[in-house]
Amino acid sequence: MPEAAPGSGAPDAAAPVTQPDVASLHHVCRELAAAADAVREAARYASGLALGPAPLRTAAGPRRARAGRRRLLRTLLDPTGFGWGPQGRTPLAGAAWLAGVLTSRESLAVSLAVTGLKTRIRAAAVRHPELLADATTSRVLRAVDEDRHTEAARVFRGLLTDKGAEYALALLAPSFADIMAWSALTDENPFNDAAGWQIATHRPLTSDFFLGTPSAVWAFLDRGSGRAEPHTPTAELLERIDASGTIVGYVRNIGHLGTRGLLLVQAVAGPDGERRFVVQLAGMGKGFNQEGPQDVVGSCNAMGSTDTAYTRAVRRALNRLVPSGSEVALVGHSQGGLTAMNLAASRDFNALYTVTHVVAIGSPIDHKRAADPRTRVVSLVNEHDIVPSLEGRSSVSAYELPDEFTEFTWKDDTHAFPLCHAAERYAHNLEHDVPHARTHVDSELAAFRGRVTGTHLFTLHDR
């Protein structure tokens, strides 16, 4: 990890610094993740033989079998072998793994995964030099690079105190998921290890990386049946709703809806005369709201599940309005983008409607997949917006998305959260800063541009 900018302990500014190639670093990241996976699988197999309930059998007899078992066990616990490598579901293997976590024993598989994460953080710093130009964030990254967990946590807390959470979270956003995964794998909390490992090896999260709360718990808490009621808008809101059929207009509409549980559906007579529907979904409100589905619980559940109170409420709204078989475009911001992707992933929803497009704005959808491979997915991401990385894939990831995904990312100079995440800021970016993204999305949604034949609003309820 290179040093920070002058004034924070940097080397002579006149000395040339050659930055590594990001593509090469990303290649190393993927190789390290694959190696970590392979070592972990080998350790799991060896653990089953050495610590499993069934005795190891060999043609040479039980004495040789016991000797082989002891050698396997030494290899599993040897710093020159697997490190502290016990894995698996047997009681002995589980107890040995837990003892290693609680006593900070080093595992070869985890060491490889952590090295890959640090390489990803290094690549992010090359793309985002502001991470190293700021003295405090530079200290955080250096502590991570040198595996000084306590210092990294202390400096990060100081960053939150000195600069405020809004600035700190936005500035660290390009590396936030990887830093959290590093922290999960190097702390002594056994509950968040699974999330750290999943991020390190580019797998969908099945628990959060803070406390390790399983997805099943969020699904249990978010079990509202979902309800939708027609909403009579004020004249002011109706006047502000954009009917241009452009992505900037849709994002502005979502900003006008706010986070108070409103859903907007525009019926459009397209260029070919066909009637289509654009569903516009707003993001998460504040805190825990038992009345509406747009809250913290619903957002956490949406990342690990495709069936949520929000999706159930939207389906009820569309059942009242949209004829079966209609072509539908789903446009959502934040939790609304997650919900759009979850609806597209539902085979039941696809049996009712033809989901031609999903456009997610500032949403953590990268591990989601549409049920219909013909559905076009566009993800729009400000790289200093922390929300899109909450499912574990950073906006400067070493891993490509599938062919049906199109991702546009950009570096915005608004280093403050949640301002950089706001729908209004995304609309501004699309209009002024990333015209290529705007042009692409408008081209994708050309069939939905035409005369608006109906503007329908619904209030969504949890139950």
Side-chain angles (χ1 to χ4, degrees), residues 40-336:
R40 194 180 193 220
E41 284 303 309
R44 181 179 286 113
Y45 183 73
S47 298
L49 295 175
L51 299 170
L56 181 65
R57 298 181 183 278
T58 71
R63 180 178 296 180
R64 289 289 182 88
R66 287 193 295 273
R69 196 165 183 164
R70 286 194 296 271
R71 283 195 293 271
L72 271 176
L73 185 58
R74 283 197 297 271
T75 302
L76 276 170
L77 305 179
D78 189 342
T80 63
F82 284 108
W84 191 273
Q87 296 285 332
R89 298 182 180 277
T90 65
L92 275 176
W97 167 80
L98 182 60
V101 172
L102 296 178
T103 56
S104 301
R105 300 294 183 96
E106 188 171 349
S107 154
L108 176 59
V110 170
S111 294
L112 287 167
V114 164
T115 303
L117 287 168
K118 291 192 290 187
T119 306
R120 276 151 55 166
I121 294 168
R122 178 71 184 89
V126 173
R127 179 172 171 83
H128 286 275
E130 65 273 15
L131 289 170
L132 295 172
D134 182 277
T136 311
T137 56
S138 177
R139 288 175 62 202
V140 172
L141 298 192
R142 178 159 292 282
V144 169
D145 189 58
E146 296 175 0
D147 289 321
R148 291 182 276 116
H149 191 279
T150 301
E151 182 178 343
R154 178 178 57 77
V155 176
F156 180 66
R157 285 195 298 269
L159 178 63
L160 293 177
T161 302
D162 296 342
K163 299 289 183 72
E166 297 86 353
Y167 179 87
L169 294 178
L171 192 57
L172 284 171
S175 290
F176 184 78
D178 295 332
I179 291 173
M180 290 299 100
W182 168 84
S183 177
L185 290 175
T186 58
D187 65 12
E188 295 177 4
N189 173 12
F191 300 107
N192 61 4
D193 279 23
W197 187 266
Q198 287 161 349
I199 293 173
T201 55
H202 191 58
R203 288 182 169 89
L205 288 179
T206 57
S207 60
D208 68 75
F209 44 68
F210 291 106
L211 301 175
T213 306
S215 300
V217 173
W218 296 114
F220 174 77
L221 296 173
D222 186 43
R223 61 188 186 276
S225 56
R227 182 164 55 90
E229 296 177 348
H231 176 83
T232 303
T234 63
E236 180 187 6
L237 178 57
L238 271 180
E239 186 178 345
R240 296 171 74 187
I241 289 177
D242 190 292
S244 66
T246 64
I247 184 58
V248 172
Y250 295 139
V251 179
R252 284 194 172 131
N253 286 345
I254 290 171
H256 297 327
L257 295 178
T259 56
R260 56 188 187 277
L262 291 182
L263 172 74
L264 171 62
V265 183
Q266 288 178 307
V268 180
D272 57 1
E274 288 292 324
R275 191 170 183 237
R276 297 178 176 87
F277 297 84
V278 184
V279 182
Q280 294 155 67
L281 303 109
M284 187 186 80
K286 293 182 179 180
F288 297 86
N289 179 7
Q290 296 300 316
E291 296 298 321
Q294 296 165 244
D295 65 355
V296 171
V297 170
S299 288
C300 291
N301 185 31
M303 282 191 280
S305 174
T306 57
D307 184 31
T308 68
Y310 199 166
T311 62
R312 293 188 282 270
V314 173
R315 285 200 300 264
R316 291 182 186 276
L318 299 187
N319 288 344
R320 305 175 67 137
L321 173 67
V322 180
S324 178
S326 298
E327 290 189 359
V328 173
L330 304 169
V331 181
H333 169 250
S334 191
Q335 186 188 0

Side-chain angles (χ1 to χ4, degrees), residues 309-377:
Y310 199 166
T311 62
R312 293 188 282 270
V314 173
R315 285 200 300 264
R316 291 182 186 276
L318 299 187
N319 288 344
R320 305 175 67 137
L321 173 67
V322 180
S324 178
S326 298
E327 290 189 359
V328 173
L330 304 169
V331 181
H333 169 250
S334 191
Q335 186 188 0
L338 258 177
T339 301
M341 200 65 209
N342 285 335
L343 289 166
S346 166
R347 295 193 179 277
D348 290 342
F349 190 79
N350 280 267
L352 285 175
Y353 310 112
T354 301
V355 183
T356 63
H357 294 83
V358 172
V359 182
I361 303 105
S363 303
I365 65 162
D366 295 346
H367 287 293
K368 304 281 186 180
R369 299 293 179 263
D372 186 343
R374 296 170 297 178
T375 300
R376 301 296 301 164
V377 180

